[in-house]
Amino acid sequence: MVLLRAYLALMKLRVVELLIISTIPAMILAEKGVPSLGLIAATLVGGTLAAGSANAFNMVIESKSDQLMKRTANRPIATGEISKLNGLLFAFLISILSLVIFYIFTTVLATLLTATAIIFYVIGYTMMLKNRTSQNIVWGGIAGCMPVLIGQSAVTNTLTLTSWLFF
């Protein structure tokens, strides 16, 4: 149970819920009503796993610096509770699971946008921008805005001006 809690901590679910909550209104606007509960569930589960995987990748990449900051020093990889290898394997596993869920239960566009969000957060934000510019949070916010586009595309397999304006 303790190990399960540590893996869930890698996902930063408190942050993920803030991302996921913007998905449902986008889906309702796209459907012009309430989409099927199955589609909503698949999109929310897939989105949770996707964002969780990006957060887990982030913790693997930043494990050394996490040890130095009081706010992050108790993260599972920083403390050694989970090894970097196991954290990396977990991140890849839930990332792939997320994309499979999106591909099977939603649309190809939603799947591609989800993959783009993960890659952008991990490579663009964490690896390239975070330690190099004070503007990192602005650019990192792009990944945080992706659930609106993903929600729209999960319903319609398109993006509209409305979804871009919400983004």
Side-chain angles (χ1 to χ4, degrees), residues 46-162:
T48 297
L49 292 171
S53 74
N55 289 329
F57 280 121
N58 176 278
M59 283 196 215
V60 169
I61 294 163
E62 297 192 331
S63 62
K64 293 270 193 252
S65 61
D66 281 350
Q67 293 171 345
L68 304 174
M69 293 188 296
K70 185 177 181 180
R71 179 179 63 83
T72 59
N74 289 324
R75 289 181 174 173
I77 295 175
T79 63
E81 190 173 4
I82 296 175
S83 70
K84 283 178 82 168
L85 177 61
N86 286 344
L88 188 62
L89 292 172
F90 177 73
F92 272 114
L93 176 71
I94 63 173
S95 180
I96 291 166
L97 182 57
S98 165
L99 296 175
V100 167
I101 289 170
F102 271 103
Y103 185 77
I104 292 172
F105 297 106
T106 70
T107 66
V108 171
L109 182 57
T111 306
L112 292 173
L113 289 169
T114 301
T116 301
I118 295 167
I119 292 165
F120 182 80
Y121 186 80
V122 174
I123 296 173
Y125 171 70
T126 302
M127 296 174 79
M128 295 174 62
L129 296 171
K130 193 168 184 184
N131 293 321
R132 292 190 175 101
T133 175
S134 61
Q135 293 298 309
N136 66 53
I137 196 70
V138 174
W139 292 100
I142 291 171
C145 294
M146 291 296 288
V148 174
L149 300 179
I150 294 166
Q152 163 80 36
S153 63
V155 173
T156 65
N157 202 32
T158 62
L159 296 175
T160 63
L161 177 60
T162 300

